[in-house]
Amino acid sequence: MGLLSVIKSGLSKTREAILGELKGIVGAGKVTDEMLEQLEEHLIKADVGTEAAFLLTDALRENALGKSLSQDEILKILRSEAERLLVDPPPFKVQGNPHVILIIGVNGAGKTTTIGKLAKRFQTEGHKVLIAAGDTFRAAAIEQLEVWAERSEAEFVRHQEGSDPAAVAYDACEAAKARGCDIVIIDTAGRLHNKDYLMEELRKVVRVMKKLDEAYPHDIWLVIDGNTGQNTISQTKIFHQSFPLTGLVVTKLDGTARGGSLLGIASALKIPICWVGMGERIDQLVPFSKQEYVDGLFENALDIQE
Ligand SMILES: Nc1nc2c(ncn2[C@@H]2O[C@H](COP(=O)(O)OP(=O)(O)O)[C@@H](O)[C@H]2O)c(=O)[nH]1
Ligand SMILES: [Mg+2]
């Protein structure tokens, strides 16, 4: 499956949630205040977030209030406002030798799966990747990552179940140098942002790595489950206060009707969405692109390109 089809089919439920009812609201006669109110309410229900819903509706108010526009013209205005709310992430660049990426997030968000997908992608691009089992809580978590290491043909570092994740991270960075790897990706146990001891454990991981190189980790990516919708925003803010996040990964956009939440996330947080998970398979992680995302939501351009 090509990239565009992955995005388009992944967003199908979200597209249905946003466009289905929306087409019933707009495009029947003049754009009125009442219609705009209905639209705003609908967008909030579709989990676009209150701020983004307001901004989208407002763009229509400014451009179209009192005018008779076709449905397509209205969708075009919404589409370009949606695109304006989003930012493209900076392209990924290896900044260190090795470049170290720490992956964090709550339980079940998709961290381990994302690491497998990233490892595969980076390996395919010609990098030599090492992944490290920093989730030492359960043996199963270590084994799960080991399977992804095999699939992606990445190097793998693990300690025993119950060992100190900071020691795993430290060893991983050293091993990467010894084995000539240029990217290290470190898995961590799922943690709630409101559990202090777990946050402290993560701080230690960062602190210990910095003993090797002050620049480590170059990236801290928070993985969030796309099903969580707007609820993820407060969670992300708290993580961001403790750890300077350099990017977000939003997973499970394929199974959810709440993929519009990316608009809310982007307008509420100044953290780039770097990757999106569009399925469980190894090739179903795609770099976030605002244009492809918006095309996926509003159909049009994708149909032409395919
Ligand atoms: N449909 C779908 N499932 C995903 C995606 N990413 C992860 N998952 C699934 O979510 C579940 C939890 O993933 P896991 O990587 O173990 O989460 P972790 O606890 O954060 O490490 C697994 O069943 C994954 O297959 C995705 O993009 N789409
Ligand atoms: Mg995991």
Side-chain angles (χ1 to χ4, degrees), residues 106-114 117 144 187 251-255 277-280 284:
V106 302
N107 234 334
K111 293 179 295 301
T112 305
T113 309
T114 297
K117 294 168 170 178
Q144 186 194 357
D187 197 8
T251 61
K252 307 187 196 180
L253 284 179
D254 51 298
M278 290 285 180
E280 292 183 279
Q284 288 173 324

Side-chain angles (χ1 to χ4, degrees), residues 1-3 5-7 9-10 113-114 116-118 120-121 148 249-254 275-287:
M1 233 199 294
L3 201 66
S5 331
V6 171
I7 293 169
S9 74
T113 309
T114 297
K117 294 168 170 178
L118 284 170
K120 173 73 181 178
R121 167 177 281 274
W148 282 109
V249 181
V250 186
T251 61
K252 307 187 196 180
L253 284 179
D254 51 298
W275 306 93
V276 286
M278 290 285 180
E280 292 183 279
R281 287 206 328 260
I282 200 161
D283 59 345
Q284 288 173 324
L285 181 83
V286 292

Side-chain angles (χ1 to χ4, degrees), residues 107-287:
N107 234 334
K111 293 179 295 301
T112 305
T113 309
T114 297
I115 291 170
K117 294 168 170 178
L118 284 170
K120 173 73 181 178
R121 167 177 281 274
F122 292 147
Q123 288 269 126
T124 308
E125 288 171 357
H127 295 290
K128 196 163 173 211
V129 180
L130 182 146
I131 62 185
D135 179 356
T136 57
F137 272 12
R138 295 170 302 122
I142 300 173
E143 280 149 27
Q144 186 194 357
L145 193 70
E146 190 157 24
V147 172
W148 282 109
E150 282 160 19
R151 283 188 198 145
S152 59
E153 296 179 54
E155 295 284 324
F156 183 58
V157 164
R158 60 167 290 178
H159 285 190
Q160 277 179 349
E161 178 185 1
S163 57
D164 183 356
V168 177
Y170 188 94
D171 276 2
C173 297
E174 295 247 280
K177 284 199 174 137
R179 302 185 205 174
C181 299
D182 59 342
I183 299 179
V184 177
I185 314 176
I186 300 165
D187 197 8
T188 59
R191 64 202 64 231
L192 286 173
H193 47 288
N194 54 7
K195 288 274 190 304
D196 276 348
Y197 66 100
L198 284 170
M199 294 300 257
E200 186 45 42
E201 185 187 82
L202 211 50
R203 268 181 223 114
K204 186 177 167 196
V205 171
V206 173
R207 212 163 49 230
V208 167
M209 260 192 275
K210 285 196 183 299
K211 288 187 183 156
L212 285 170
D213 188 330
E214 186 55 37
Y216 293 167
H218 301 87
D219 280 304
I220 304 181
W221 290 342
L222 179 74
V223 178
I224 53 192
D225 180 337
N227 284 300
T228 321
Q230 293 305 304
N231 293 336
T232 199
I233 290 175
S234 58
Q235 192 191 93
T236 304
K237 279 185 178 159
I238 295 171
F239 268 113
H240 195 43
Q241 278 163 13
S242 299
F243 302 96
L245 302 174
T246 55
L248 302 175
V249 181
V250 186
T251 61
K252 307 187 196 180
L253 284 179
D254 51 298
T256 184
R258 294 177 154 185
S261 62
L262 267 63
L263 294 168
I265 292 171
S267 60
L269 303 166
K270 300 285 165 265
I271 308 164
I273 298 164
C274 295
W275 306 93
V276 286
M278 290 285 180
E280 292 183 279
R281 287 206 328 260
I282 200 161
D283 59 345
Q284 288 173 324
L285 181 83
V286 292

Side-chain angles (χ1 to χ4, degrees), residues 89-108:
F92 176 75
K93 266 210 327 259
V94 169
Q95 292 162 33
N97 189 22
H99 182 103
V100 181
I101 304 167
L102 184 67
I103 301 291
I104 66 174
V106 302
N107 234 334

